[in-house]
């Protein structure tokens, strides 16, 4: 343990390049994606990503509430990201704070780039993201869950939207930060990629890094997104795989 002021900070990077949980710099946390986890929603997905647990539900296209948001030429995409009061160690004040509102907005905007909203004028596509357990990277886990949920709901899209955060920890660029790395690291850079076009539709940064480090971060993040993309497609294939006929095999 090193120390900064009165606070004990963990060693984020060992001399041989291992991270606090033993991962290498370009290693993702384990990810499990379940498409269609809820029965009530039109589409849903549950994502366990490291210690994050995130549920997404999609409704629509359906009537717009509140009515004044209705658009005559396309569907409106509304997103509500919420972190449960029990999702973090320190009890979080329940309800939508500024952070949740910001995350809801950037996620909705990311989906506006991929959903064929003009196919459903005067309707709403509603995305609900509930973070049940948080350990950094929840906006990315929320995007991944919501993207699979949208596909599960049959909403036409250009592509799925994998997302991951890259950051700088112990002076090195690292993929997929966990909580301690996010808290004590030097930078955090969440991004979401449209894999087919290679376009980024969400990119945020907290902290600081050099131009060269930023370029490396983007490369690493794009690679990470491509790996996650394969897992998203596999989850959807699993959900819609044609199983043996009811009644069991002969
Ligand atoms: P992201 O979850 O997308 O990385 P942030 O960088 O804002 O978003 O948050 C990093 C982590 O900090 C969260 O995943 C969560 O573990 C923790 N955190 C965020 N907000 C709170 C809060 N109000 N109370 C306690 N912990 C929080």
């Amino acid at each position: 343990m090193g120390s900064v002021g009165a606070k004990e900070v963990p060693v984020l990077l060992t001399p041989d390049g291992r991270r606090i949980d033993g991962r290498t710099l370009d290693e993702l946390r384990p990810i499990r994606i379940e498409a269609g986890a809820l029965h009530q929603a039109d589409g849903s997905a549950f994502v366990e990503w490291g210690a994050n647990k995130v549920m997404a539900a999609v409704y629509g296209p359906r009537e717009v509430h509140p009515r004044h948001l209705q658009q005559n030429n396309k569907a409106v995409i509304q997103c509500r990201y919420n972190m449960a009061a029990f999702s973090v160690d320190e009890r979080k004040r329940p309800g939508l704070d500024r952070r949740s509102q910001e995350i809801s907005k950037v996620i909705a905007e990311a989906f506006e780039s991929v959903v064929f909203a003009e196919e459903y004028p005067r309707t709403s596509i509603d995305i609900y993201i509930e973070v049940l357990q948080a350990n950094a990277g929840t906006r990315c886990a929320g995007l991944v869950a919501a993207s699979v949920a949208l596909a599960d709901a049959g909403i036409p899209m250009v592509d799925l939207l994998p997302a991951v955060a890259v950051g700088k920890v112990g002076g090195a660029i690292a993929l997929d930060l966990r909580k301690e790395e996010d808290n004590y690291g030097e930078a955090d850079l969440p991004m979401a990629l449209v894999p087919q076009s290679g376009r980024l539709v969400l990119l945020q940064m907290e902290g600081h890094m050099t131009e060269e480090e930023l370029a490396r971060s983007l490369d690493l993040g794009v690679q990470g997104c491509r790996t996650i993309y394969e897992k998203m497609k596999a989850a959807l294939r699993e959900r819609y795989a044609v199983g043996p006929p009811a009644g069991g095999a002969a």
Side-chain angles (χ1 to χ4, degrees):
M1 291 274 195
S3 70
V4 170
K7 248 198 229 164
E8 288 292 312
V9 304
V11 174
L12 295 177
L13 200 61
T14 63
D16 64 345
R18 292 278 166 174
R19 294 156 70 181
I20 200 160
D21 51 10
R23 278 186 295 154
T24 55
L25 290 168
D26 61 354
E27 196 175 339
L28 290 163
R29 290 175 286 182
I31 302 181
R32 189 179 76 83
I33 305 171
E34 181 190 349
L38 299 173
H39 292 292
Q40 308 296 347
D42 294 326
S44 61
F46 182 56
V47 170
E48 284 185 80
W49 183 341
N52 290 317
K53 291 183 198 284
V54 178
M55 184 69 85
V58 165
Y59 290 85
R62 66 179 181 182
E63 212 173 298
V64 185
H65 288 291
R67 201 57 189 267
H68 67 88
L69 294 177
Q70 180 173 300
Q71 304 223 15
N72 285 332
N73 57 345
K74 61 177 185 180
V76 287
I77 298 172
Q78 303 192 73
C79 176
R80 198 192 80 148
Y81 162 104
N82 181 53
M83 250 175 43
F86 53 79
S87 64
V88 286
D89 291 343
E90 320 87 74
R91 186 179 178 281
K92 182 195 161 287
R93 277 186 66 187
L96 291 181
D97 49 17
R98 279 191 57 184
R99 175 179 170 277
S100 310
Q101 286 174 23
E102 174 227 309
I103 294 177
S104 301
K105 182 169 182 288
V106 294
I107 291 178
E109 285 171 359
F111 283 118
E112 278 169 14
S113 310
V114 288
V115 170
F116 289 113
E118 59 288 351
E119 289 189 16
Y120 304 102
R122 292 179 295 282
T123 67
S124 182
I125 295 169
D126 300 330
I127 302 168
Y128 297 91
I129 296 169
E130 293 290 328
V131 178
L132 306 178
Q133 192 169 284
N135 190 280
T138 61
R139 77 195 64 203
C140 295
L143 261 155
V144 166
S147 183
V148 173
L150 282 162
D152 183 44
I155 307 281
M157 292 179 286
V158 173
D159 206 350
L160 293 168
L161 214 48
V164 74
V166 177
K168 188 173 171 186
V169 290
I173 300 303
L175 181 64
D176 188 19
L177 306 191
R178 55 181 279 137
K179 182 90 173 8
E180 296 83 348
E181 297 175 324
D182 182 291
N183 282 6
Y184 301 111
E186 297 98 281
D188 175 31
L189 187 91
M191 65 187 83
L193 176 78
V194 184
Q196 281 181 26
S197 63
R199 270 191 319 138
L200 293 172
V201 291
L202 178 141
L203 184 63
Q204 300 181 287
M205 186 166 119
E206 226 181 277
H208 30 85
M209 56 173 68
T210 66
E211 209 176 318
E212 189 265 328
E213 287 168 337
L214 176 62
R216 266 199 295 136
S217 299
L218 292 173
D219 280 349
L220 192 57
V222 166
Q223 274 175 41
C225 282
R226 294 201 183 279
T227 304
I228 295 159
Y229 183 47
E230 295 306 318
K231 294 178 190 291
M232 295 164 82
K233 286 191 291 186
L236 286 161
R237 271 199 301 270
E238 191 177 325
R239 160 101 162 122
Y240 292 102
V242 181

